[in-house]
């Protein structure tokens, strides 16, 4: 019997109908990757890393999955491709971006997959949605809770929680 694993996924989009993109990605995730246990509100933020592009909508989810980390990565990349994501430039515009933030309490450092996702502690647009669903989650490398990481985050970008009118 396969064991259920706990994964936290970050969703981001800044092209097209952004709310619809998030909803479609959530539907795909639940159909192919596992069960969504919790999800954050939707947050609007300016682009990070490459600022001359449209604002992003961001969301975090907790997923219960039987997939291995690499199988989950494959499924996330498959969903991105089905939704029309084109990987043209690093931190560029995208219809959808799905990143594994945490997977149980493991660490992985391979060229194609790093868990926990790098730079979580430097990205307010990742931390704010996580605070809503995993405030006490401990980062397995830093040994700090999401709350502690958010409290010490140097990124002062505005992260605006949107009204929930799905």
């Amino acid at each position: 019997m396969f064991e259920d694993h706990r994964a936290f996924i970050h969703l981001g989009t800044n092209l097209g109908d952004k709310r619809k993109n998030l909803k479609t990605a959530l539907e795909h995730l639940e159909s192919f990757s596992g069960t969504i246990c919790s999800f954050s509100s939707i947050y609007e933020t300016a682009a990070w890393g490459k600022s001359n592009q449209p604002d992003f909508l961001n969301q975090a989810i907790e997923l219960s999955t039987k997939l291995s980390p690499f199988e989950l990565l494959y499924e996330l990349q498959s969903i991105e491709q089905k939704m029309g994501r084109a990987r043209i430039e690093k931190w560029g515009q995208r219809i959808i971006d799905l990143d594994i933030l945490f997977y149980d309490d493991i660490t992985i450092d391979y060229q194609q997959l790093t868990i926990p996702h790098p730079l979580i502690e430097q990205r307010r647009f990742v931390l704010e949605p996580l605070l809503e669903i995993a405030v006490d989650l401990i980062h397995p490398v830093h040994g700090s809770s999401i709350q502690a990481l958010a409290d010490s985050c140097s990124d002062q970008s505005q992260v605006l929680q949107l009204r929930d009118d799905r």
Side-chain angles (χ1 to χ4, degrees):
M1 186 101 193
F2 292 103
E3 181 182 340
D4 280 342
H5 298 278
R6 181 181 181 204
F8 288 88
I9 312 293
H10 181 264
L11 299 82
T13 175
N14 74 336
L15 291 176
D17 184 339
K18 295 183 266 190
R19 282 187 183 263
K20 183 177 178 189
N21 294 344
L22 292 175
K23 183 178 180 192
T24 300
L26 290 172
E27 290 168 355
H28 282 302
L29 278 162
E30 198 141 50
S31 294
F32 299 109
S33 305
T35 303
I36 297 172
C37 302
S38 60
F39 53 89
S40 73
S41 300
I42 296 170
Y43 292 81
E44 184 173 32
T45 62
W48 189 94
K50 185 176 183 297
S51 59
N52 62 336
Q53 58 181 317
D55 288 349
F56 274 82
L57 292 187
N58 298 285
Q59 191 170 28
I61 65 161
E62 178 183 358
L63 183 74
S64 175
T65 185
K66 294 188 184 319
L67 300 176
S68 73
F70 288 96
E71 291 169 330
L72 181 57
L73 174 65
Y74 174 81
E75 287 300 325
L76 297 182
Q77 290 174 339
S78 177
I79 292 167
E80 289 176 340
Q81 187 175 16
K82 286 176 191 170
M83 290 183 63
R85 172 153 185 200
R87 294 180 184 270
I88 298 169
E89 66 179 313
K90 185 174 183 172
W91 296 329
Q93 300 180 96
R94 59 203 80 153
I95 194 159
I96 195 68
D97 184 33
L98 303 171
D99 292 322
I100 303 170
L101 300 175
F102 298 100
Y103 184 98
D104 291 336
D105 61 354
I106 67 168
T107 60
I108 296 176
D109 191 10
Y110 287 96
Q111 182 177 354
Q112 66 270 33
L113 179 61
T114 303
I115 297 174
H117 193 281
L119 307 178
I120 289 171
E121 69 279 2
Q122 297 176 26
R123 297 174 170 179
R124 186 149 311 275
F125 70 91
V126 172
L127 291 169
E128 291 296 327
L130 265 177
L131 277 172
E132 213 179 308
I133 62 171
V135 66
D136 294 324
L137 179 70
I138 302 298
H139 192 295
V141 173
H142 299 302
S144 300
S145 69
I146 300 304
Q147 182 67 63
L149 292 175
D151 290 345
S152 64
C153 183
S154 61
D155 177 9
Q156 295 303 310
S157 302
Q158 183 179 14
V159 179
L160 177 65
Q161 184 177 11
L162 300 181
R163 193 182 85 222
D164 189 12
D165 60 354
R166 292 176 230 210

